[in-house]
Amino acid sequence: MMDAIAIDGPAGSGKSTVAKKIAMALDFLYVDTGAMYRAIAFKAMQAGDALDDEDKMGEVAENSRIEFDQTGTHILIDGTDVSKEIRTPDVTANTKFSARAPRVRACLVKMQQQLGLIRPVVMEGRDITTVVLTDAKWKFYLSADPKERALRRMKEFEAAGHSVDLDSLIEDIRKRDESDMSVGPLAEAYRNAVEGKNN
């Protein structure tokens, strides 16, 4: 088994907050895999690429260098720190295009697995326990009420200077949950947690 803590859960469930605290306490590398998908979406947006072109998105991912700082709280793409830029509502809305592109997922999963081999990690996302770090020593699934998750997201956006509507955020989260929980790695992670298959 890998010296890794794998945390899955839906958007806004508190994964990042929990993962950062654990990583700091244990001196593990913190890896926010969602930030990687955001970074690819941001790069494609900056280049004016068609976000719904899955092959083009795959090319963007395959030709990108993604790195984290020692704390894992800053992400760089091609040497540029984009930690703040990837947290805007526009990037949040468009990350779905990078997340659902098969070539992007294959490329980023490989990067994530390599990060897990470098040093002990706390990695959080939506497919960590089921796809990325299936051999992790510790696996967890986190969730929360959709309204609480939307409130958390709204505070994050407002702290970054962006105004958003709470009802719209709640609706976006519910729609995303319906899609995620019908099929895919997050649905599998949820079933595993309910059935007690996680460590």
Side-chain angles (χ1 to χ4, degrees), residues 11-127:
S13 58
K15 302 186 301 295
S16 297
T17 300
V18 171
K20 287 176 185 176
K21 289 182 178 179
I22 294 174
M24 184 176 294
L26 299 177
D27 194 29
F28 280 21
L29 174 65
Y30 163 64
V31 178
D32 174 3
T33 60
M36 299 173 76
Y37 289 97
R38 286 172 174 270
I40 296 301
F42 174 74
K43 181 176 178 179
M45 290 167 65
Q46 291 296 104
D49 292 328
L51 299 178
D52 59 352
D53 185 334
E54 293 187 351
D55 284 333
K56 183 59 182 178
M57 294 298 285
E59 289 178 13
V60 172
E62 291 162 3
N63 290 288
S64 297
R65 187 176 81 257
I66 296 179
E67 302 166 290
F68 289 92
D69 69 349
Q70 282 297 103
T71 66
T73 57
H74 286 266
I75 184 170
L76 294 79
I77 187 161
D78 301 328
T80 300
D81 189 332
V82 294
S83 305
K84 292 183 179 179
E85 289 81 353
I86 65 171
R87 300 294 175 182
T88 66
D90 282 346
V91 174
T92 296
N94 287 318
T95 298
K96 62 186 178 185
F97 293 107
S98 56
R100 71 187 185 194
R103 283 174 61 186
V104 174
R105 295 199 71 86
C107 180
L108 296 192
V109 165
K110 185 176 180 181
M111 289 185 192
Q112 292 155 12
Q113 290 172 332
Q114 290 173 338
L115 286 171
L117 295 174
I118 295 173
R119 56 179 281 199
V121 298
V122 180
M123 191 174 294
E124 52 105 343
R126 306 164 79 78
D127 61 354

Side-chain angles (χ1 to χ4, degrees), residues 126-142:
R126 306 164 79 78
D127 61 354
I128 312 306
T129 64
T130 57
V131 177
V132 182
L133 300 179
T134 56
D135 200 32
K137 190 176 292 185
W138 301 279
K139 300 177 182 178
F140 301 94
Y141 184 92
L142 296 183

